[in-house]
Amino acid sequence: MPMVRWYSPVQLASTGARVLFSLLVETWSDKREVQAALPVDPPHDRSDRKEIWLDFVADLGDGWDSTYAIASVMARPELELKDGGESFPTRRGSLLVMGGDLVYPTSRIADYENRMLGPYHTALPWTEGADQPDLFVIPGNHDWYDGLTNFMRIFCQGRWVAGWRTHQSRSYFAIKLPHRWWLWGIDLQLDHYIDDPQIRYFQDLGRQHVQTGDRLIIVTAEPSWIYAGQKGPLMYRNFDYFERKVVRPSGAQLTVALTGDLHHYCRFQEVGGPRQFFTAGGGGAFLHPTHHLPKRLGKELRPHPDSDVPEFERTATSPTAAQSVRLLLRTLLMPLINPEFAALIALFPILLLWSIQPALSGGRTHLARAIGGASLGDLLLAAAHSPSSVLIAVLIMAALVGFAKARGIKRWGPGIAHGLLQVTVMLAMIWLAGRIAGLVALSDFPLTLLLLGLVAVLGGTAAAFVFGVYLASTNLLLGMHDNEAFSALRIADFKNFLRLHFDESGGLTVYPVGVERVAEPMPHLIEAPIRIAPPGRPSLR
């Protein structure tokens, strides 16, 4: 499967319908409440081992090449990673944890099979033996698009997923690791709230199994700390609520958070403390930018008077900010990268063409002749005097104001400016098409067909180019449209996953593994291994 073409008309319609369906499902049915009627999963105990390796990946199941590249690297029994002159031998995780958004664009069973299960079966086929690794997963928003139906069938019924064996019966889980480490995977259900049965599950777990001082890793489906830094403290309220109401009363020390949702690598480190918050959404989905990430987090992580969250600073990203900006400039090639989108918006200059003809000639002159003999000023004046042209222009501007994901002047200003520029460029392309058509000696009907074809090609191409310019400029200058700009690019490269090693001393070492080019995956360390030492010893870089 190729990378999802998010700007394809068919895909736009399909995704919109799925999102609408997911909102209806969310309103009337929550699978987590159904799960609450199932027998309670005890914590999955892996604490009897002296050491354990664990892999974490998120945001997979997009294009085959990118998903398979990461799956194949993770599946290697051994992987040697280098940082400068130092070499670090690592082993395949006996546990694989997937942090949400396991498939794109929707959660149909065919998408799971072709975009996620297929690459993983190829990377690590099932074989008999006791060495096969285990798999634990949480859902992301794309997994929720069918109300979690296919997610539950694939991952919550004890099935094999390629060479990994599933064990959980709910969309959330807890794993007891060696040396008083815990890993909890929580399900945020489309970023709205943590349901009460899930809260009770982890509260009971904390009372019955967790000892004061145990260290905790939380796996969640979104980097709420980054969103809080970009949009305000309310974006952190779910994670903060879980920490205040569940983690803190249990006596556990939240030490590491793992997430995806943003398709890049980013690490935030507690200022003067051991906490590490990782975003590693590089399992196969299109790339997200890094040049707008906050440098420091503090008050943004305190949405409640009882919040007691330290300050964090950003330490590393992949791609780098400079690489991210260079990749953003590819949006200027929007008509070439997404020709089907250019074809879709070519309908608007054609509608403008038909709407201005009566005002231009009073209906007495044939369309092609009227356009060919008009100046650009004539076309602008005709558009201003045509009620249908004005209506089309208003609808274009209204749609683009709605598209601008911001508030106040940051929404209205760019949206209206974009709309006016689009209408002006479309009229200019109509004028240019009329000039080109006027050079050809044809009768009225063939000339009209030629004019319509020229307006579609020139108008659609120019409108798509302006759209790309809008995405690049607003993203670079105003920090808008991260998702819209980079989903248009479908960048398969700069993928990543995390390899965690819990050693015999009780310490944890995190290896951020990057694959810069998926065509020939050569895994490397994105940054030096991050060491979280046992209690009483200083953590090392």
Side-chain angles (χ1 to χ4, degrees):
M1 300 295 292
M3 301 291 283
V4 176
R5 303 187 72 87
W6 294 99
Y7 280 80
S8 160
V10 174
Q11 186 56 59
L12 287 169
S14 174
T15 302
R18 290 281 175 172
V19 171
L20 177 61
F21 175 76
S22 72
L23 292 174
L24 294 175
V25 168
E26 171 195 359
T27 301
W28 300 106
S29 175
D30 188 337
K31 279 289 194 305
R32 296 171 306 178
E33 295 174 355
V34 176
Q35 295 172 47
L38 300 173
V40 175
D41 269 352
H44 304 276
D45 195 348
R46 303 293 187 276
S47 63
D48 58 342
R49 309 178 189 185
K50 292 181 179 180
E51 64 170 346
I52 194 169
W53 291 83
L54 182 151
D55 290 333
F56 172 83
V57 68
D59 299 284
L60 48 149
D62 191 340
W64 173 284
D65 291 348
S66 53
T67 300
Y68 173 73
I70 292 299
S72 63
V73 171
M74 286 194 305
R76 297 179 192 177
E78 296 180 348
L79 188 63
E80 188 162 327
L81 302 166
K82 294 183 178 180
D83 180 56
E86 194 171 0
S87 182
F88 300 93
T90 70
R91 297 205 301 269
R92 180 178 66 208
S94 60
L95 298 173
L96 172 60
V97 176
M98 293 181 174
D101 283 345
L102 311 181
V103 68
Y104 292 85
T106 60
S107 48
R108 297 181 308 161
I109 192 64
D111 289 329
Y112 275 113
E113 290 175 346
N114 295 326
R115 295 184 180 274
M116 182 265 170
L117 297 175
Y120 274 75
H121 275 288
T122 307
L124 184 66
W126 177 87
T127 57
E128 278 193 83
D131 294 333
Q132 296 297 97
D134 296 324
L135 173 64
F136 293 89
V137 296
I138 61 167
N141 59 303
H142 287 267
D143 304 297
W144 265 99
Y145 280 173
D146 68 343
L148 223 58
T149 298
N150 286 322
F151 176 94
M152 296 291 292
R153 290 171 179 169
I154 296 170
F155 303 107
C156 300
Q157 295 183 1
R159 301 175 185 269
W160 285 90
V161 173
W164 289 270
R165 177 67 179 267
T166 64
H167 295 273
Q168 67 200 79
S169 63
R170 303 186 181 198
S171 59
Y172 44 92
F173 60 87
I175 306 173
K176 187 177 183 181
L177 298 168
H179 310 295
R180 299 181 61 188
W181 281 94
W182 287 86
L183 187 144
W184 293 356
I186 60 177
D187 177 8
L188 293 179
Q189 196 249 6
L190 294 172
D191 183 33
H192 282 263
Y193 68 98
I194 305 176
D195 56 303
D196 189 57
Q198 186 176 180
I199 291 290
R200 291 199 305 271
Y201 170 82
F202 285 108
Q203 285 176 333
D204 292 343
L205 187 73
R207 284 191 295 266
Q208 298 172 18
H209 300 278
V210 176
Q211 300 178 27
T212 300
D214 286 0
R215 285 164 293 174
L216 175 63
I217 299 170
I218 286 184
V219 176
T220 180
E222 65 165 29
S224 53
W225 48 92
I226 292 178
Y227 294 151
Q230 294 174 332
K231 302 176 185 179
L234 286 180
M235 300 301 296
Y236 195 68
R237 64 187 184 276
N238 278 338
F239 196 91
D240 175 71
Y241 179 85
F242 189 83
E243 184 175 2
R244 287 187 292 107
K245 297 296 184 180
V246 180
V247 177
R248 202 182 301 172
S250 75
Q253 298 175 358
L254 175 57
T255 308
V256 176
L258 307 176
T259 190
D261 200 46
L262 291 178
H263 311 161
H264 56 228
Y265 172 80
C266 177
R267 178 170 67 93
F268 277 87
Q269 177 174 297
E270 179 185 352
V271 177
R275 286 196 194 186
Q276 307 285 343
F277 284 4
F278 292 89
T279 304
F286 66 88
L287 184 68
H288 271 134
T290 59
H291 54 273
H292 290 307
L293 294 173
K295 294 181 179 179
R296 199 174 181 95
L297 299 170
K299 62 182 180 181
E300 299 89 351
L301 306 185
R302 296 163 194 153
H304 190 274
D306 293 339
S307 302
D308 184 20
V309 182
E311 290 191 347
F312 289 81
E313 60 182 2
R314 194 185 73 220
T315 58
T317 66
S318 177
T320 65
Q323 290 172 323
S324 179
V325 170
R326 287 197 295 270
L327 293 168
L328 170 67
L329 297 180
R330 294 186 188 180
T331 57
L332 301 181
L333 302 175
M334 188 78 173
L336 299 177
I337 297 173
N338 296 281
E340 62 273 66
F341 179 68
L344 173 65
I345 57 180
L347 295 173
F348 292 98
I350 290 175
L351 288 174
L352 277 175
L353 170 67
W354 283 106
S355 67
I356 62 176
Q357 192 263 349
L360 188 65
S361 64
R364 295 184 295 276
T365 305
H366 192 271
L367 172 63
R369 309 296 176 189
I371 298 298
S375 67
L376 182 56
D378 293 334
L379 294 182
L380 291 170
L381 191 62
H385 285 84
S386 167
S388 55
S389 296
V390 172
L391 178 61
I392 292 170
V394 169
L395 290 176
I396 290 173
M397 283 188 282
L400 294 177
V401 167
F403 177 76
K405 291 188 174 181
R407 294 181 179 179
I409 189 64
K410 280 185 68 175
R411 178 175 195 168
W412 289 92
I416 292 174
H418 185 197
L420 289 172
L421 182 59
Q422 285 284 12
V423 172
T424 302
V425 167
M426 289 177 189
L427 289 172
M429 292 302 102
I430 291 172
W431 171 81
L432 180 59
R435 284 292 179 271
I436 296 173
L439 300 175
V440 182
L442 293 173
S443 59
D444 286 346
F445 183 69
L447 188 62
T448 298
L449 292 180
L450 175 62
L451 177 66
L452 288 173
L454 287 170
V455 168
V457 173
L458 295 174
T461 300
F465 173 73
V466 170
F467 193 85
V469 171
Y470 165 81
L471 290 176
S473 58
T474 54
N475 184 267
L476 195 59
L477 300 175
L478 301 175
M480 298 166 57
H481 297 305
D482 280 358
N483 202 58
E484 292 76 18
F486 275 73
S487 64
L489 301 177
R490 305 188 304 279
I491 297 170
D493 296 324
F494 292 100
K495 296 298 171 272
N496 63 75
F497 70 96
L498 301 178
R499 177 152 287 176
L500 288 70
H501 181 212
F502 301 84
D503 58 42
E504 294 185 21
S505 72
L508 166 63
T509 304
V510 181
Y511 300 89
V513 184
V515 172
E516 192 161 316
R517 298 285 180 267
V518 301
E520 44 179 343
M522 300 176 63
H524 66 278
L525 281 170
I526 296 173
E527 60 172 327
I530 299 94
R531 169 78 172 165
I532 301 171
R537 302 182 191 175
S539 293
L540 303 177
R541 174 73 166 75

